[in-house]
Amino acid sequence: MTLIKDIVRILEDFAPPAWQENYDNSGLIVGDLNTDVSGILICLDSIEAVIDEAIAEKCNLVIAHHPIVFSGLKKITGKNYIERTLLKAIRNNIAIYAIHTNLDNVHHGVNHQLSTVMGLKDFKILSAKNSLLKKLVTYCPVAQAEQVRNALFSAGAGNIVNYSECSFYSEGTGTFKPGDNTHPFVGKIGERQHEREERMEMIFFAHYQSKILNALLKAHPYEEVAYDIYSLDNSLSSAGSGMIGMLETAMEEKEFLLKVKTVLKCSTLRHTHFTGKKIQKVALCGGAGFFLLNEAKASGADAFITADVKYHQFFDADGQILLVDAGHYETEQFTMQLLKDLLIKKFPTFAIRLTKVDTNPVKYI
Ligand SMILES: [Zn+2]
């Protein structure tokens, strides 16, 4: 038996919900985490036709990139496509889960996939995120330090990119005086105790904080555990927006645009004036990524592929970069396969399908 929460755990280990933008609504939108999963249908947009497909294919979990609900609904009466979709999903016991900007922000997410499809090499995150890391400092009797360290590592502290169990410690002397009604691990009530202790420090992802503190309090021998938590400004090379990388060989601008058009199966492309430079360094951001234009320029990209660029925003390229609007659906379509690959690795025998519905709301003639 595989429950929705088992699937959600895989998705959220990969793309922590805490990494979504604050306007977003990723997570389980409709459904019960304890439901047994009969099949999974993956899409970019969980519109009504996708729910119909899920019913026909006996998939009771729809995983969408875009949340169908962004802001609060006061009534659900079926007066628009969002309400009709929700009603149909609920009536047919179909859960809807959205994995949106947290999947955009994770290194191996939407833009990693797009970079791979575009044939970029040596790519890295264009705008790294900060404020995702914290540091724990704690003090522990030397004899118990290893058990505390192990507990903290097991709870997820001390990971730096591909290194685990990273910490620093030094020995020193701590003091404390147990008050009335205390049960000190060492020392006597009313007397100052000098104790050989280790000062131990390690970084962790902010969203693990409660798990790590629980582990600390459980493993530490003291009745009152002394610890400090610091917020860090370090940016994280494994999380952030957009991607930047290199094409194997430089291309003429027109040739590059034709490649984008072919690879992303675009009916049409919108782009700025040619800059006259060949294209080799490419920045990209699937979906609405115009907000990254200045970072793309500053990092020396010859071209920036994104979507949802408005008329006046094209002027901002200012002859310095070839700005390409390749379409929202077109730049995110490979995300569905990314999710399927992620889940199939863990559930190889499970029915995991990509939607056959063309959910792109934009048409060209
Ligand atoms: Zn999108």
Side-chain angles (χ1 to χ4, degrees), residues 65-66 100 287-288 328 332:
H65 180 45
H66 297 129
H100 188 212
H328 198 124
E332 290 184 343

Side-chain angles (χ1 to χ4, degrees), residues 347-361:
F347 302 100
T349 58
F350 219 75
I352 303 172
R353 302 165 191 278
L354 304 189
T355 183
K356 294 196 176 76
V357 178
D358 173 12
T359 63
N360 189 352

Side-chain angles (χ1 to χ4, degrees), residues 44-45 65-66 100 104 110 286-288 308 328-329 331-332:
L44 280 187
D45 294 280
H65 180 45
H66 297 129
H100 188 212
D104 291 326
V110 174
D308 297 356
H328 198 124
Y329 181 91
T331 53
E332 290 184 343

